[in-house]
Amino acid sequence: GGVGKTTLLTQINNRFLNIPNDFDFVIWVVVSKDLRLVKVQEEIGRRIGISIREWKSKSIDDRATEIFKTLRKKKFVLLLDDVWDRVSLRTAGVPLPTKQNGSKIVLTTRSEVVCSQMDTHRRIKVEPLAWEKAWKLFKEKVGEETLSMDPIIPDLAKDVARECGGFPLAL
């Protein structure tokens, strides 16, 4: 945790939203540790224009059918953030990406097991920053003015950055 997976996914999301592309939908869903398929479906439904009010009385299967009917005809990117356990895309109603439909699914997780369970095709391991890069980023974010306010601050800041082992959360 804390190496920047969500930040990276946020940048991917923003790039899709701000740069012209040929995707019909860019769908962001925070899954989290307490995976609830209904919540995942509601967020997907919201992003593809389905009225969530009408969904309150529908079953998971009915919602899945509605999601599938919409997405099967579209090219989409589904961004799943903070995945702790396998998400059944089929049960949620998400058509699997193929070369033919051009859709993509990107997920962030701390677990190699989840990657295997989700049958990912490509994995990118996000590592903590090296000390020099972490310290440089820290200084850029905090600013020289803040660091020079008191002579003890730089040493304390270095201790904090070292303690966090290159994780951006130290920044």
Side-chain angles (χ1 to χ4, degrees):
V3 294
K5 298 178 297 294
T6 297
T7 301
L8 188 57
L9 199 63
T10 300
Q11 290 177 354
I12 293 168
N13 180 64
N14 291 345
R15 184 163 256 176
F16 277 122
L17 296 177
N18 296 321
I19 295 174
N21 59 72
D22 60 347
F23 290 99
D24 299 305
F25 295 113
V26 177
I27 306 163
W28 173 286
V29 180
V30 177
V31 178
S32 296
K33 204 169 194 175
D34 64 336
L35 168 64
R36 291 192 354 230
L37 200 58
V38 170
K39 183 180 160 205
V40 171
Q41 286 182 318
E42 284 180 2
E43 193 56 41
I44 292 170
R46 189 174 292 115
R47 299 292 176 124
I48 63 176
I50 295 173
S51 172
I52 302 305
R53 261 198 307 260
E54 296 171 13
W55 267 20
K56 295 296 179 193
S57 61
K58 291 189 177 184
S59 70
I60 285 179
D61 290 340
D62 290 341
R63 292 174 183 197
T65 300
E66 202 164 336
I67 289 169
F68 185 83
K69 283 181 180 177
T70 301
L71 290 182
R72 73 175 176 186
K73 304 174 207 158
K74 303 291 184 183
K75 186 174 180 181
F76 65 89
V77 176
L78 175 59
L79 305 169
L80 299 173
D81 188 32
D82 198 23
V83 179
W84 287 74
D85 294 300
R86 180 182 176 274
V87 178
S88 174
L89 298 173
R90 182 182 307 258
T91 305
V94 178
L96 295 180
T98 64
K99 286 184 180 181
Q100 290 76 26
N101 66 25
S103 294
K104 303 287 181 193
I105 298 173
V106 179
L107 63 93
T108 65
T109 183
R110 298 177 182 200
S111 168
E112 290 275 340
V113 172
V114 169
C115 289
S116 295
Q117 291 172 337
M118 296 288 295
D119 197 25
T120 58
H121 297 288
R122 187 170 172 204
R123 299 175 190 182
I124 301 169
K125 189 169 185 173
V126 181
E127 300 282 354
L129 295 173
W131 159 248
E132 296 80 19
K133 288 185 179 180
W135 179 241
K136 181 181 178 195
L137 182 59
F138 186 94
K139 289 191 303 185
E140 287 173 8
K141 295 297 180 186
V142 171
E144 290 295 334
E145 183 179 328
T146 302
L147 285 172
S148 62
M149 288 176 78
D150 188 305
I152 198 168
I153 291 177
D155 290 333
L156 287 173
K158 284 180 183 176
D159 289 344
V160 169
R162 275 193 198 97
E163 185 71 29
C164 293
F167 285 95
L169 282 181
L171 310 175

